[in-house]
Amino acid sequence: MEKLPSDLYYHNIDHTILVFEAVEWLCTEEQVSQEDMYLLKIAALFHDVGFIESYDQHEEKSCLIAEKILSKYKLADQQIECICQLITATKLPHCPVTFEEKIICDADLNYLGGNDFFKIGDRLRKELIHYGKIDKEDITWNKIQHAFLTSHTFHTQTSQIHKEPVKQIYIKQISEKIKKAES
């Protein structure tokens, strides 16, 4: 990980670990086969590695890196292709097609319904400001967060049951912050 830029405050090893752990949890809860869980875990580990090379379109870079590394191991071409499809599914906006893609998408944004939402969101905000993707105004960030949360959908039943209600609380809290800032 010595190649990972230090200014990735959100898309860093901590995020990768959280996604990996969320994949494990979702696979267990959704009773996914061992083979599919194996491929999902590998995809979770590689899904953001492309940030080493490029901030934009990192998913494509992640696939190229994954293909290069995984081809050295005893993974079939079909398995590597599946891993790359899972990585590509994490591109925003999420539009998963397969059940496995739904799992990795929910794992990628698991924090939206987690206890550390605001802490993790602050790291994302700092990173987006650094890369010139948003400005520094709090009201703008709250509006971005609100728009994203209200348009976001969890795809698995597990996330819908366990994460969606918490996400709805955050939507209300952010709405209150926006109202307060605008008054």
Side-chain angles (χ1 to χ4, degrees), residues 90 100 150:
T90 64
E100 293 77 14
T150 55

Side-chain angles (χ1 to χ4, degrees), residues 25 40 67 73 93 144:
W25 172 66
L40 278 157
E67 286 172 346
Y73 296 91
I144 290 168

Side-chain angles (χ1 to χ4, degrees), residues 80-127:
I80 295 171
E81 183 179 318
C82 178
I83 290 165
C84 285
Q85 287 174 335
L86 292 169
I87 291 168
T88 304
T90 64
K91 185 172 186 153
L92 292 174
H94 287 169
C95 298
V97 176
T98 68
F99 183 63
E100 293 77 14
E101 289 174 359
K102 291 176 181 182
I103 288 174
I104 198 160
C105 287
D106 279 4
D108 190 28
L109 295 177
N110 188 58
Y111 85 98
L112 297 180
N115 295 333
D116 289 338
F117 169 76
F118 288 104
K119 178 180 160 190
I120 292 171
D122 285 343
R123 291 195 305 239
L124 177 58
R125 178 177 173 263
K126 184 177 179 181
E127 181 178 302

Side-chain angles (χ1 to χ4, degrees), residues 42-57:
I42 294 171
L45 292 174
F46 280 95
H47 85 284
D48 280 344
V49 73
F51 278 106
I52 291 170
E53 294 185 11
S54 172
Y55 196 86
D56 296 315
Q57 286 144 27

Side-chain angles (χ1 to χ4, degrees), residues 46 53 62-73 80:
F46 280 95
E53 294 185 11
S62 295
C63 286
L64 294 173
I65 294 167
E67 286 172 346
K68 183 178 178 181
I69 292 171
L70 296 174
S71 66
K72 296 176 184 176
Y73 296 91
I80 295 171

